[in-house]
Structure formats: C-alpha cells, structure tokens
Amino acid sequence: MHLGFSSMNTADDPSPAELATTLEQAGFESLWYGEHSHIPMSRRTPYPPGGDLPEPYKKMMDPYVSLMAAAAATTTLRIGTGIALLMERELFSQAKTIATVDRLSDGRLMIGCGVGWNEEEFENATSLPWKRRYLALKETVAAQRALFSDAEPEYHGELIDFDKVWFEPKPVQAGGPPVIFGAMGPLGVRHTAEWADGWMPVDVAMPDIPAAIADFRRQVSEFGRDPDAVEITLVVMAPVTADLLKSYRDMGIHRCNIGVGMENWDKPEIVMPMIETFSRIIPEL
C-alpha cells in the first residue's frame, strides 16, 4: 500500500517545493492538493461536517500551479488533485493545464475529482446544471479523455458538445492522467464504478469499510470492468496510527492519503513532524 499526503495548500502551509522534497525523501508516494477557487460569502450551503467553515478554505492556492512547483522539485513523487472541481473551469483551458502538468512532471499526475458540495460556488463558476452535476462530471471526464486520446477529438453529449478540434500536446500518460472520483453517496459510487479509474472515499464516512469496498467492487463488476483495475485511495480522517494504516492495507486498499486533521489545518508547524513520524512505518505498508 502506498502512503500519500494531503494539504490544504494555503500560503501559510509549507511551500509546495519544500513539502514535496520532504515527502519524497521520507518515502511517501504522492502529494495531493484540493481546490476551491473562491468561497461565496452567502454561506447558503452549509459546511458538510457541520459548524463554521474552517478559515483555510478561504485561502487555498491553485492546485495545478502548486503541484507543478512540487513536481519541479522532485523526481519520483507522484502529484494529485484531491480533489479538483473539474466542472468549475472552462473545459479546454483545464484540459490544456492537465496535459501540460502531466508532460512537465513526466507523467506523475493523478486527477482526484468530485462534484463539489457548495452550490453557490458551482453556480458562480459554471452554467452547467447543479441538479445534473453527476452527469456533467461524467461528460466532462469523457470529453477530456477524447481530447487526451484522439487525433481529431470531438464530443457530443447532453450537456457538453463540440465538433472536431486540434488539441496538442497530449499528456504523457496514454489517455490522460487517471481520474479518481471522490464520491460517497449511492449515485456517486455508482458513477465511479461505471467510468472512473479509481475511487477516493473518506474513512470516517463509512461505518463498515470492508462492506463498502465489497459493494463497490461488485458494482464495478456489474459494469463489465475488472475490480482489480480500479484503485481505491482512502482519505484517512480518523486519528492516524500505524495499526489503522496496516488494517487498511490488509483490506486491499491501494493508497491511503493522510494529512493534518481539520482541527489542525491552521497549524502548519505540525506538518513536518507528522511526516517524519509516519515515514518510519512506510516500509511496513
């Protein structure tokens, strides 16, 4: 099992180059940055875990720029968005950014994505319908895959439609970086099983993780796909211990992403000691 590290990616956190270098030297497999281009002040959409929205959400830097800085400072560390809001960017510009980062990182990019939880943020950024956001994400990913794969890409869906275009250069990874869907509800999990390259659930949101994994693999099989080919990346929000990580390894989880807990998002001074602590158990995973 691989160990990845997730960060809120604010200007107060360790710089991407410093953090990435430390992670690579410590034996971590990957670095993941999330995405919020802005946060609406209306606060009409409640924060999913409840309570006030943590301040770091308001100060997140651009994930692709930060990941490129991380890749430039390293040679083997993989980089990922955890998660990107693909529908909140213009399709072609975003695809060009992803292809460029993948090329400049020599094929180390992974795209964790989701439909988002903030309706106002979504509506500020796109004219796609909020109530059809799962279909919109499916078509966004399919359209990007066409751009990344085809010599004369075109796409004709219900919500996204374009005729043949030139789109170069292609990403290093054939077909583009793997797309890992961060979904928890039944509809999102079903979509993940149908078309995503991987699944990125959160451990504390699943009361029975082995049962959830078994159900997901069953659904992947129902779509005629090989469950072993769809990687599971588990976001670990429970208090992280060596025994917990080993238990996830024994469940067949491909990767665990850890990071400082929500209660410590505003304490960047604990990041480096945490990395040092968990680097010691990486050989056992």
mmCIF file of all heavy atoms in Angstrom, residues 203-247:
data_model
loop_
_atom_site.group_PDB
_atom_site.id
_atom_site.type_symbol
_atom_site.label_atom_id
_atom_site.label_comp_id
_atom_site.label_asym_id
_atom_site.label_seq_id
_atom_site.Cartn_x
_atom_site.Cartn_y
_atom_site.Cartn_z
ATOM 1 N N ASP A 203 -12.652 7.619 5.118
ATOM 2 C CA ASP A 203 -12.866 6.500 6.044
ATOM 3 C C ASP A 203 -13.955 6.781 7.082
ATOM 4 O O ASP A 203 -14.789 5.920 7.349
ATOM 5 C CB ASP A 203 -11.550 6.084 6.724
ATOM 6 C CG ASP A 203 -10.911 7.157 7.583
ATOM 7 O OD1 ASP A 203 -11.333 8.331 7.528
ATOM 8 O OD2 ASP A 203 -9.945 6.821 8.318
ATOM 9 N N VAL A 204 -13.977 7.977 7.661
ATOM 10 C CA VAL A 204 -14.932 8.229 8.752
ATOM 11 C C VAL A 204 -16.369 8.322 8.259
ATOM 12 O O VAL A 204 -17.302 8.304 9.061
ATOM 13 C CB VAL A 204 -14.556 9.517 9.517
ATOM 14 C CG1 VAL A 204 -13.217 9.360 10.214
ATOM 15 C CG2 VAL A 204 -14.563 10.734 8.596
ATOM 16 N N ALA A 205 -16.559 8.406 6.943
ATOM 17 C CA ALA A 205 -17.915 8.471 6.398
ATOM 18 C C ALA A 205 -18.487 7.093 6.094
ATOM 19 O O ALA A 205 -19.625 6.981 5.638
ATOM 20 C CB ALA A 205 -17.939 9.323 5.132
ATOM 21 N N MET A 206 -17.691 6.038 6.343
ATOM 22 C CA MET A 206 -18.151 4.673 6.063
ATOM 23 C C MET A 206 -18.171 3.872 7.360
ATOM 24 O O MET A 206 -17.115 3.560 7.920
ATOM 25 C CB MET A 206 -17.229 3.999 5.045
ATOM 26 C CG MET A 206 -17.233 4.650 3.681
ATOM 27 S SD MET A 206 -16.311 3.683 2.425
ATOM 28 C CE MET A 206 -14.633 3.899 3.002
ATOM 29 N N PRO A 207 -19.354 3.535 7.870
ATOM 30 C CA PRO A 207 -19.419 2.783 9.121
ATOM 31 C C PRO A 207 -18.842 1.372 9.009
ATOM 32 O O PRO A 207 -18.376 0.806 9.998
ATOM 33 C CB PRO A 207 -20.918 2.743 9.440
ATOM 34 C CG PRO A 207 -21.596 3.023 8.140
ATOM 35 C CD PRO A 207 -20.687 3.904 7.365
ATOM 36 N N ASP A 208 -18.880 0.803 7.806
ATOM 37 C CA ASP A 208 -18.356 -0.559 7.587
ATOM 38 C C ASP A 208 -17.514 -0.523 6.316
ATOM 39 O O ASP A 208 -18.024 -0.741 5.209
ATOM 40 C CB ASP A 208 -19.509 -1.554 7.465
ATOM 41 C CG ASP A 208 -19.040 -3.002 7.436
ATOM 42 O OD1 ASP A 208 -17.866 -3.246 7.088
ATOM 43 O OD2 ASP A 208 -19.855 -3.901 7.750
ATOM 44 N N ILE A 209 -16.229 -0.261 6.471
ATOM 45 C CA ILE A 209 -15.365 -0.079 5.305
ATOM 46 C C ILE A 209 -15.232 -1.352 4.476
ATOM 47 O O ILE A 209 -15.351 -1.311 3.243
ATOM 48 C CB ILE A 209 -13.987 0.465 5.731
ATOM 49 C CG1 ILE A 209 -14.160 1.869 6.334
ATOM 50 C CG2 ILE A 209 -13.026 0.520 4.547
ATOM 51 C CD1 ILE A 209 -12.883 2.453 6.887
ATOM 52 N N PRO A 210 -14.993 -2.539 5.087
ATOM 53 C CA PRO A 210 -14.903 -3.753 4.253
ATOM 54 C C PRO A 210 -16.164 -4.002 3.432
ATOM 55 O O PRO A 210 -16.080 -4.406 2.268
ATOM 56 C CB PRO A 210 -14.671 -4.861 5.283
ATOM 57 C CG PRO A 210 -14.010 -4.167 6.434
ATOM 58 C CD PRO A 210 -14.664 -2.820 6.493
ATOM 59 N N ALA A 211 -17.333 -3.749 4.037
ATOM 60 C CA ALA A 211 -18.581 -3.963 3.299
ATOM 61 C C ALA A 211 -18.712 -2.969 2.159
ATOM 62 O O ALA A 211 -19.170 -3.314 1.059
ATOM 63 C CB ALA A 211 -19.774 -3.834 4.245
ATOM 64 N N ALA A 212 -18.295 -1.719 2.393
ATOM 65 C CA ALA A 212 -18.361 -0.707 1.344
ATOM 66 C C ALA A 212 -17.439 -1.059 0.182
ATOM 67 O O ALA A 212 -17.799 -0.885 -0.988
ATOM 68 C CB ALA A 212 -17.999 0.663 1.916
ATOM 69 N N ILE A 213 -16.261 -1.564 0.492
ATOM 70 C CA ILE A 213 -15.320 -1.961 -0.552
ATOM 71 C C ILE A 213 -15.877 -3.137 -1.352
ATOM 72 O O ILE A 213 -15.814 -3.155 -2.591
ATOM 73 C CB ILE A 213 -13.954 -2.315 0.060
ATOM 74 C CG1 ILE A 213 -13.293 -1.057 0.619
ATOM 75 C CG2 ILE A 213 -13.056 -2.981 -0.978
ATOM 76 C CD1 ILE A 213 -12.019 -1.332 1.384
ATOM 77 N N ALA A 214 -16.431 -4.099 -0.660
ATOM 78 C CA ALA A 214 -17.007 -5.263 -1.350
ATOM 79 C C ALA A 214 -18.155 -4.846 -2.266
ATOM 80 O O ALA A 214 -18.280 -5.333 -3.395
ATOM 81 C CB ALA A 214 -17.479 -6.295 -0.326
ATOM 82 N N ASP A 215 -19.010 -3.940 -1.780
ATOM 83 C CA ASP A 215 -20.129 -3.464 -2.596
ATOM 84 C C ASP A 215 -19.625 -2.699 -3.816
ATOM 85 O O ASP A 215 -20.156 -2.856 -4.927
ATOM 86 C CB ASP A 215 -21.037 -2.577 -1.755
ATOM 87 C CG ASP A 215 -22.209 -2.029 -2.559
ATOM 88 O OD1 ASP A 215 -23.082 -2.832 -2.951
ATOM 89 O OD2 ASP A 215 -22.236 -0.798 -2.817
ATOM 90 N N PHE A 216 -18.589 -1.881 -3.625
ATOM 91 C CA PHE A 216 -18.040 -1.121 -4.749
ATOM 92 C C PHE A 216 -17.468 -2.070 -5.804
ATOM 93 O O PHE A 216 -17.728 -1.909 -7.002
ATOM 94 C CB PHE A 216 -16.959 -0.162 -4.255
ATOM 95 C CG PHE A 216 -16.243 0.541 -5.369
ATOM 96 C CD1 PHE A 216 -16.887 1.514 -6.125
ATOM 97 C CD2 PHE A 216 -14.928 0.227 -5.682
ATOM 98 C CE1 PHE A 216 -16.243 2.160 -7.168
ATOM 99 C CE2 PHE A 216 -14.272 0.874 -6.713
ATOM 100 C CZ PHE A 216 -14.929 1.837 -7.462
ATOM 101 N N ARG A 217 -16.700 -3.041 -5.377
ATOM 102 C CA ARG A 217 -16.104 -3.983 -6.327
ATOM 103 C C ARG A 217 -17.197 -4.761 -7.072
ATOM 104 O O ARG A 217 -17.060 -5.043 -8.277
ATOM 105 C CB ARG A 217 -15.160 -4.929 -5.589
ATOM 106 C CG ARG A 217 -13.886 -4.240 -5.098
ATOM 107 C CD ARG A 217 -13.045 -5.178 -4.225
ATOM 108 N NE ARG A 217 -12.597 -6.348 -4.948
ATOM 109 C CZ ARG A 217 -11.499 -6.401 -5.696
ATOM 110 N NH1 ARG A 217 -10.731 -5.339 -5.814
ATOM 111 N NH2 ARG A 217 -11.162 -7.517 -6.317
ATOM 112 N N ARG A 218 -18.283 -5.086 -6.373
ATOM 113 C CA ARG A 218 -19.400 -5.771 -7.041
ATOM 114 C C ARG A 218 -19.985 -4.886 -8.131
ATOM 115 O O ARG A 218 -20.273 -5.355 -9.247
ATOM 116 C CB ARG A 218 -20.469 -6.132 -6.011
ATOM 117 C CG ARG A 218 -21.737 -6.752 -6.616
ATOM 118 C CD ARG A 218 -22.826 -6.912 -5.584
ATOM 119 N NE ARG A 218 -23.206 -5.634 -4.970
ATOM 120 C CZ ARG A 218 -23.990 -4.731 -5.558
ATOM 121 N NH1 ARG A 218 -24.461 -4.953 -6.792
ATOM 122 N NH2 ARG A 218 -24.295 -3.606 -4.933
ATOM 123 N N GLN A 219 -20.153 -3.595 -7.836
ATOM 124 C CA GLN A 219 -20.726 -2.697 -8.830
ATOM 125 C C GLN A 219 -19.789 -2.519 -10.027
ATOM 126 O O GLN A 219 -20.244 -2.431 -11.172
ATOM 127 C CB GLN A 219 -21.034 -1.342 -8.193
ATOM 128 C CG GLN A 219 -22.147 -1.386 -7.165
ATOM 129 C CD GLN A 219 -22.574 0.011 -6.730
ATOM 130 O OE1 GLN A 219 -22.968 0.829 -7.554
ATOM 131 N NE2 GLN A 219 -22.509 0.280 -5.430
ATOM 132 N N VAL A 220 -18.494 -2.462 -9.778
ATOM 133 C CA VAL A 220 -17.541 -2.380 -10.884
ATOM 134 C C VAL A 220 -17.702 -3.593 -11.796
ATOM 135 O O VAL A 220 -17.736 -3.471 -13.036
ATOM 136 C CB VAL A 220 -16.092 -2.296 -10.354
ATOM 137 C CG1 VAL A 220 -15.089 -2.408 -11.500
ATOM 138 C CG2 VAL A 220 -15.874 -0.989 -9.593
ATOM 139 N N SER A 221 -17.839 -4.772 -11.211
ATOM 140 C CA SER A 221 -18.023 -5.999 -11.993
ATOM 141 C C SER A 221 -19.314 -5.953 -12.794
ATOM 142 O O SER A 221 -19.366 -6.443 -13.939
ATOM 143 C CB SER A 221 -18.030 -7.220 -11.070
ATOM 144 O OG SER A 221 -16.784 -7.397 -10.434
ATOM 145 N N GLU A 222 -20.362 -5.365 -12.231
ATOM 146 C CA GLU A 222 -21.642 -5.274 -12.936
ATOM 147 C C GLU A 222 -21.525 -4.452 -14.218
ATOM 148 O O GLU A 222 -22.310 -4.644 -15.157
ATOM 149 C CB GLU A 222 -22.698 -4.677 -12.016
ATOM 150 C CG GLU A 222 -23.139 -5.610 -10.897
ATOM 151 C CD GLU A 222 -24.129 -4.963 -9.942
ATOM 152 O OE1 GLU A 222 -24.416 -3.751 -10.093
ATOM 153 O OE2 GLU A 222 -24.626 -5.676 -9.041
ATOM 154 N N PHE A 223 -20.580 -3.537 -14.265
ATOM 155 C CA PHE A 223 -20.360 -2.754 -15.483
ATOM 156 C C PHE A 223 -19.365 -3.425 -16.429
ATOM 157 O O PHE A 223 -18.916 -2.816 -17.409
ATOM 158 C CB PHE A 223 -19.868 -1.347 -15.120
ATOM 159 C CG PHE A 223 -20.955 -0.439 -14.618
ATOM 160 C CD1 PHE A 223 -21.040 -0.118 -13.269
ATOM 161 C CD2 PHE A 223 -21.912 0.080 -15.482
ATOM 162 C CE1 PHE A 223 -22.046 0.717 -12.796
ATOM 163 C CE2 PHE A 223 -22.921 0.913 -15.023
ATOM 164 C CZ PHE A 223 -22.992 1.231 -13.676
ATOM 165 N N GLY A 224 -19.015 -4.673 -16.139
ATOM 166 C CA GLY A 224 -18.129 -5.413 -17.013
ATOM 167 C C GLY A 224 -16.678 -4.996 -16.908
ATOM 168 O O GLY A 224 -15.888 -5.222 -17.832
ATOM 169 N N ARG A 225 -16.320 -4.420 -15.774
ATOM 170 C CA ARG A 225 -14.951 -3.946 -15.573
ATOM 171 C C ARG A 225 -14.250 -4.816 -14.534
ATOM 172 O O ARG A 225 -14.894 -5.472 -13.709
ATOM 173 C CB ARG A 225 -14.958 -2.483 -15.108
ATOM 174 C CG ARG A 225 -15.728 -1.551 -16.029
ATOM 175 C CD ARG A 225 -15.795 -0.150 -15.451
ATOM 176 N NE ARG A 225 -14.464 0.469 -15.418
ATOM 177 C CZ ARG A 225 -14.132 1.466 -14.611
ATOM 178 N NH1 ARG A 225 -15.019 1.949 -13.747
ATOM 179 N NH2 ARG A 225 -12.920 1.980 -14.655
ATOM 180 N N ASP A 226 -12.925 -4.782 -14.558
ATOM 181 C CA ASP A 226 -12.125 -5.571 -13.626
ATOM 182 C C ASP A 226 -11.960 -4.781 -12.326
ATOM 183 O O ASP A 226 -11.327 -3.720 -12.329
ATOM 184 C CB ASP A 226 -10.759 -5.861 -14.236
ATOM 185 C CG ASP A 226 -9.845 -6.647 -13.296
ATOM 186 O OD1 ASP A 226 -10.287 -7.044 -12.205
ATOM 187 O OD2 ASP A 226 -8.662 -6.843 -13.670
ATOM 188 N N PRO A 227 -12.493 -5.255 -11.203
ATOM 189 C CA PRO A 227 -12.364 -4.511 -9.941
ATOM 190 C C PRO A 227 -10.918 -4.270 -9.532
ATOM 191 O O PRO A 227 -10.612 -3.255 -8.901
ATOM 192 C CB PRO A 227 -13.087 -5.407 -8.928
ATOM 193 C CG PRO A 227 -14.024 -6.223 -9.737
ATOM 194 C CD PRO A 227 -13.321 -6.452 -11.051
ATOM 195 N N ASP A 228 -10.017 -5.178 -9.894
ATOM 196 C CA ASP A 228 -8.612 -5.011 -9.532
ATOM 197 C C ASP A 228 -7.960 -3.862 -10.286
ATOM 198 O O ASP A 228 -6.892 -3.383 -9.893
ATOM 199 C CB ASP A 228 -7.837 -6.299 -9.792
ATOM 200 C CG ASP A 228 -8.246 -7.425 -8.850
ATOM 201 O OD1 ASP A 228 -8.710 -7.118 -7.732
ATOM 202 O OD2 ASP A 228 -8.119 -8.606 -9.246
ATOM 203 N N ALA A 229 -8.586 -3.421 -11.383
ATOM 204 C CA ALA A 229 -8.022 -2.337 -12.188
ATOM 205 C C ALA A 229 -8.515 -0.965 -11.735
ATOM 206 O O ALA A 229 -8.059 0.058 -12.263
ATOM 207 C CB ALA A 229 -8.370 -2.554 -13.661
ATOM 208 N N VAL A 230 -9.424 -0.934 -10.790
ATOM 209 C CA VAL A 230 -9.960 0.333 -10.287
ATOM 210 C C VAL A 230 -9.413 0.541 -8.879
ATOM 211 O O VAL A 230 -9.874 -0.074 -7.919
ATOM 212 C CB VAL A 230 -11.508 0.326 -10.281
ATOM 213 C CG1 VAL A 230 -12.046 1.680 -9.827
ATOM 214 C CG2 VAL A 230 -12.041 -0.017 -11.676
ATOM 215 N N GLU A 231 -8.404 1.397 -8.753
ATOM 216 C CA GLU A 231 -7.711 1.572 -7.486
ATOM 217 C C GLU A 231 -8.580 2.304 -6.464
ATOM 218 O O GLU A 231 -9.375 3.177 -6.810
ATOM 219 C CB GLU A 231 -6.418 2.376 -7.690
ATOM 220 C CG GLU A 231 -5.376 1.666 -8.528
ATOM 221 C CD GLU A 231 -4.100 2.488 -8.647
ATOM 222 O OE1 GLU A 231 -4.111 3.663 -8.207
ATOM 223 O OE2 GLU A 231 -3.102 1.966 -9.163
ATOM 224 N N ILE A 232 -8.385 1.945 -5.201
ATOM 225 C CA ILE A 232 -9.069 2.624 -4.102
ATOM 226 C C ILE A 232 -8.040 3.441 -3.326
ATOM 227 O O ILE A 232 -7.063 2.906 -2.810
ATOM 228 C CB ILE A 232 -9.771 1.618 -3.173
ATOM 229 C CG1 ILE A 232 -10.848 0.848 -3.944
ATOM 230 C CG2 ILE A 232 -10.385 2.344 -1.976
ATOM 231 C CD1 ILE A 232 -11.534 -0.230 -3.135
ATOM 232 N N THR A 233 -8.292 4.741 -3.278
ATOM 233 C CA THR A 233 -7.482 5.663 -2.486
ATOM 234 C C THR A 233 -8.335 6.127 -1.321
ATOM 235 O O THR A 233 -9.354 6.790 -1.514
ATOM 236 C CB THR A 233 -7.047 6.879 -3.328
ATOM 237 O OG1 THR A 233 -6.226 6.435 -4.416
ATOM 238 C CG2 THR A 233 -6.278 7.874 -2.485
ATOM 239 N N LEU A 234 -7.950 5.765 -0.112
ATOM 240 C CA LEU A 234 -8.752 6.086 1.063
ATOM 241 C C LEU A 234 -8.210 7.342 1.733
ATOM 242 O O LEU A 234 -7.034 7.422 2.094
ATOM 243 C CB LEU A 234 -8.728 4.922 2.052
ATOM 244 C CG LEU A 234 -9.655 5.052 3.267
ATOM 245 C CD1 LEU A 234 -11.118 5.057 2.831
ATOM 246 C CD2 LEU A 234 -9.403 3.921 4.260
ATOM 247 N N VAL A 235 -9.075 8.330 1.888
ATOM 248 C CA VAL A 235 -8.717 9.534 2.629
ATOM 249 C C VAL A 235 -8.920 9.249 4.117
ATOM 250 O O VAL A 235 -10.032 8.919 4.543
ATOM 251 C CB VAL A 235 -9.584 10.730 2.191
ATOM 252 C CG1 VAL A 235 -9.243 11.969 3.009
ATOM 253 C CG2 VAL A 235 -9.397 11.001 0.705
ATOM 254 N N VAL A 236 -7.857 9.344 4.878
ATOM 255 C CA VAL A 236 -7.898 8.959 6.288
ATOM 256 C C VAL A 236 -8.126 10.204 7.145
ATOM 257 O O VAL A 236 -7.253 11.068 7.269
ATOM 258 C CB VAL A 236 -6.593 8.261 6.709
ATOM 259 C CG1 VAL A 236 -6.668 7.828 8.176
ATOM 260 C CG2 VAL A 236 -6.331 7.057 5.810
ATOM 261 N N MET A 237 -9.318 10.284 7.715
ATOM 262 C CA MET A 237 -9.667 11.395 8.601
ATOM 263 C C MET A 237 -9.707 10.962 10.056
ATOM 264 O O MET A 237 -9.705 11.791 10.964
ATOM 265 C CB MET A 237 -11.018 11.981 8.204
ATOM 266 C CG MET A 237 -11.065 12.529 6.790
ATOM 267 S SD MET A 237 -9.958 13.935 6.522
ATOM 268 C CE MET A 237 -10.809 15.201 7.461
ATOM 269 N N ALA A 238 -9.770 9.647 10.292
ATOM 270 C CA ALA A 238 -9.706 9.134 11.661
ATOM 271 C C ALA A 238 -8.297 9.378 12.210
ATOM 272 O O ALA A 238 -7.349 9.565 11.438
ATOM 273 C CB ALA A 238 -10.022 7.640 11.672
ATOM 274 N N PRO A 239 -8.138 9.410 13.531
ATOM 275 C CA PRO A 239 -6.789 9.561 14.090
ATOM 276 C C PRO A 239 -5.845 8.516 13.523
ATOM 277 O O PRO A 239 -6.105 7.310 13.594
ATOM 278 C CB PRO A 239 -7.025 9.367 15.592
ATOM 279 C CG PRO A 239 -8.446 9.804 15.811
ATOM 280 C CD PRO A 239 -9.175 9.363 14.578
ATOM 281 N N VAL A 240 -4.755 8.975 12.930
ATOM 282 C CA VAL A 240 -3.874 8.080 12.181
ATOM 283 C C VAL A 240 -2.914 7.360 13.122
ATOM 284 O O VAL A 240 -2.202 7.985 13.912
ATOM 285 C CB VAL A 240 -3.069 8.863 11.132
ATOM 286 C CG1 VAL A 240 -2.194 7.906 10.320
ATOM 287 C CG2 VAL A 240 -4.005 9.633 10.213
ATOM 288 N N THR A 241 -2.922 6.035 13.023
ATOM 289 C CA THR A 241 -1.965 5.205 13.754
ATOM 290 C C THR A 241 -1.400 4.178 12.796
ATOM 291 O O THR A 241 -1.974 3.906 11.729
ATOM 292 C CB THR A 241 -2.632 4.471 14.933
ATOM 293 O OG1 THR A 241 -3.596 3.533 14.412
ATOM 294 C CG2 THR A 241 -3.324 5.449 15.879
ATOM 295 N N ALA A 242 -0.286 3.593 13.170
ATOM 296 C CA ALA A 242 0.308 2.546 12.342
ATOM 297 C C ALA A 242 -0.638 1.369 12.189
ATOM 298 O O ALA A 242 -0.788 0.811 11.093
ATOM 299 C CB ALA A 242 1.626 2.099 12.956
ATOM 300 N N ASP A 243 -1.296 0.981 13.279
ATOM 301 C CA ASP A 243 -2.210 -0.155 13.215
ATOM 302 C C ASP A 243 -3.385 0.134 12.289
ATOM 303 O O ASP A 243 -3.844 -0.763 11.561
ATOM 304 C CB ASP A 243 -2.712 -0.504 14.613
ATOM 305 C CG ASP A 243 -1.639 -1.179 15.467
ATOM 306 O OD1 ASP A 243 -0.636 -1.652 14.894
ATOM 307 O OD2 ASP A 243 -1.802 -1.204 16.705
ATOM 308 N N LEU A 244 -3.888 1.366 12.319
ATOM 309 C CA LEU A 244 -5.003 1.716 11.438
ATOM 310 C C LEU A 244 -4.585 1.598 9.979
ATOM 311 O O LEU A 244 -5.297 0.991 9.173
ATOM 312 C CB LEU A 244 -5.477 3.141 11.729
ATOM 313 C CG LEU A 244 -6.643 3.633 10.858
ATOM 314 C CD1 LEU A 244 -7.924 2.893 11.206
ATOM 315 C CD2 LEU A 244 -6.841 5.141 11.011
ATOM 316 N N LEU A 245 -3.436 2.133 9.637
ATOM 317 C CA LEU A 245 -2.968 2.064 8.258
ATOM 318 C C LEU A 245 -2.741 0.625 7.826
ATOM 319 O O LEU A 245 -3.063 0.241 6.692
ATOM 320 C CB LEU A 245 -1.695 2.886 8.094
ATOM 321 C CG LEU A 245 -1.845 4.404 8.267
ATOM 322 C CD1 LEU A 245 -0.492 5.081 8.168
ATOM 323 C CD2 LEU A 245 -2.813 4.984 7.241
ATOM 324 N N LYS A 246 -2.201 -0.193 8.717
ATOM 325 C CA LYS A 246 -1.982 -1.599 8.376
ATOM 326 C C LYS A 246 -3.314 -2.324 8.160
ATOM 327 O O LYS A 246 -3.422 -3.212 7.309
ATOM 328 C CB LYS A 246 -1.164 -2.276 9.460
ATOM 329 C CG LYS A 246 0.289 -1.802 9.514
ATOM 330 C CD LYS A 246 1.038 -2.419 10.687
ATOM 331 C CE LYS A 246 2.456 -1.903 10.787
ATOM 332 N NZ LYS A 246 3.176 -2.446 11.959
ATOM 333 N N SER A 247 -4.326 -1.951 8.923
ATOM 334 C CA SER A 247 -5.637 -2.582 8.726
ATOM 335 C C SER A 247 -6.209 -2.225 7.364
ATOM 336 O O SER A 247 -6.821 -3.060 6.689
ATOM 337 C CB SER A 247 -6.603 -2.171 9.846
ATOM 338 O OG SER A 247 -7.034 -0.823 9.705
#
